[in-house]
Amino acid sequence: MHPRRGFALPSFRLRPAALSLLLLAAHVPAWAQDDGARLYMMVPDETTIASLRLHRLHSNLTVDPATLAEDTDLDTDLAVFQFVQAFRVRGSQSFVFLVVPASRIHASADLPDGAASKSISGFGDAQLGLVVGLHGTPALGAKDYAAHRPGLAVNALAKLFFPTGAYSQDRSINVGTNRWALRLGAPIVYSIGERMGDPKLVTVELMPTITFFGANNAPFEAGRTRQKPLFIFEGHVTRGFSKDFWASIDLLWREGGETESDGVESGNPQRALSLGGTAVFALGKASSLRFSGGAVIARNEFGPNGWVLRTIIGTVF
């Protein structure tokens, strides 16, 4: 969540909008490795954010956050537009967000489908999400928000993936997934500082999620595929260094997601541990620039590998 451009604090002309963006820097789609640091923090009431993200991923992980490409690594370029709107529910802050991705995927080796081209591009699966504040998330105006005492905040997350992306049954790798998915989670943030507007604010963030997948009734070389739920635990420790800059250390653990093809289990549960970092800079009064990256440092034979780099530009309205 994020503040708006309308902050009216003399000493907090501290870029009200930039303050929000520095606190949260908008949402990263549930693709690639993680959602991101300071994603589920409070922001001033009625904040509106738009962001554009550019990702570069070298991995066996496809655009789908739970599907791996066997026997080949993929180079994926991803562009994502996201719109976020904060609102209040019975005095607590919540927000809704829409994600529209587009990707270009290039395989490093010949694919089993025998396609003449090892590259594919198109729009991916759209996502619609809702975050509801459960504890420590009052909906506050800009002045009250900036002065609010930090502490424990607990949220509930639900994100629905729509099968809108480009998909062909004749390809082993696709931009779209041809199935529905639902991600549920409980983002928890403990903030430490004199106030939420403290430029030296420290946060400890924990986010367990579980994703449930619908069936794909037109998979490559099969009649129907299913996938067991995938558990992801995400953690971040962040620290502000000035009113214009904060950084974080990031961790991600994933487990589960075993697949089944035509009723036969594949015996391929995923396990992987990733580490990374994030740096966020304010750009003027209403925008921010975020750089982040991470790499898999431990995995089983069925887990994702490789690394991801991201650049995100966010603007508050």
Side-chain angles (χ1 to χ4, degrees):
M1 313 174 194
H2 293 345
R4 319 186 300 199
R5 182 176 293 180
F7 277 27
L9 295 175
S11 57
F12 262 88
R13 203 128 180 109
L14 182 190
R15 307 163 201 183
L19 171 61
S20 337
L21 287 162
L22 284 175
L23 286 173
L24 183 54
H27 302 62
V28 177
W31 174 86
Q33 301 289 319
D34 59 357
D35 271 6
R38 294 198 178 187
L39 180 64
Y40 298 107
M41 292 176 61
M42 288 172 47
V43 294
D45 195 21
E46 299 182 2
T47 295
T48 302
I49 312 112
S51 66
L52 175 66
R53 329 162 179 280
L54 302 174
H55 297 225
R56 175 69 171 178
L57 179 69
H58 178 77
S59 175
N60 59 356
L61 188 69
T62 68
V63 173
D64 176 14
T67 302
L68 305 180
E70 296 183 3
D71 304 321
T72 186
D73 287 333
L74 306 174
D75 289 306
T76 302
D77 296 310
L78 175 68
V80 180
F81 171 78
Q82 182 160 328
F83 176 84
V84 182
Q85 177 63 57
F87 63 97
R88 64 174 62 198
V89 177
R90 296 182 178 179
S92 292
Q93 187 171 84
S94 300
F95 58 84
V96 63
F97 57 92
L98 173 67
V99 179
V100 181
S103 303
R104 179 183 180 277
I105 305 172
H106 180 79
S108 61
D110 292 335
L111 300 174
D113 53 38
S117 173
K118 294 189 288 185
S119 295
I120 183 172
S121 60
F123 283 100
D125 292 347
Q127 305 160 35
L128 183 64
L130 175 67
V131 177
V132 177
L134 301 179
H135 172 78
T137 58
L140 303 171
K143 182 176 180 179
D144 291 336
Y145 167 82
H148 182 71
R149 185 178 181 85
L152 178 66
V154 180
N155 301 276
L157 165 70
K159 184 183 295 187
L160 185 62
F161 296 74
F162 298 85
T164 58
Y167 183 85
S168 171
Q169 186 177 9
D170 298 325
R171 294 194 63 102
S172 57
I173 300 297
N174 280 283
V175 172
T177 63
N178 197 44
R179 66 177 181 186
W180 296 80
L182 174 65
R183 188 183 192 198
L184 302 176
I188 301 168
V189 179
Y190 187 74
S191 302
I192 305 167
E194 296 181 0
R195 60 192 185 279
M196 289 303 294
D198 187 348
K200 300 295 181 66
L201 192 73
V202 172
T203 70
V204 179
E205 305 169 23
L206 308 174
M207 192 176 74
T209 66
I210 186 167
T211 304
F212 301 91
F213 305 97
N216 181 350
N217 293 314
F220 175 67
E221 292 187 339
R224 179 184 174 94
T225 57
R226 301 185 64 90
Q227 188 164 16
K228 293 182 179 179
L230 177 66
F231 172 78
I232 293 179
F233 177 83
E234 185 178 336
H236 308 276
V237 177
T238 82
R239 187 184 189 280
F241 293 91
S242 73
K243 66 181 183 296
D244 295 323
F245 173 69
W246 64 262
S248 74
I249 298 173
D250 311 319
L251 172 148
L252 184 85
W253 170 260
R254 55 191 288 148
E255 183 164 355
E258 180 180 3
T259 60
E260 150 188 320
S261 181
D262 294 330
V264 178
E265 293 187 355
S266 302
N268 58 351
Q270 304 175 27
R271 293 186 191 88
L273 174 65
S274 302
L275 293 179
T278 299
V280 180
F281 303 84
L283 298 177
K285 295 182 178 180
S287 300
S288 74
L289 179 63
R290 170 186 288 226
F291 299 104
S292 66
V296 175
I297 63 168
R299 58 185 286 267
N300 70 353
E301 60 180 311
F302 307 113
N305 61 18
W307 49 264
V308 61
L309 297 175
R310 288 168 294 218
T311 302
I312 304 171
I313 300 174
T315 300
V316 174
F317 296 95

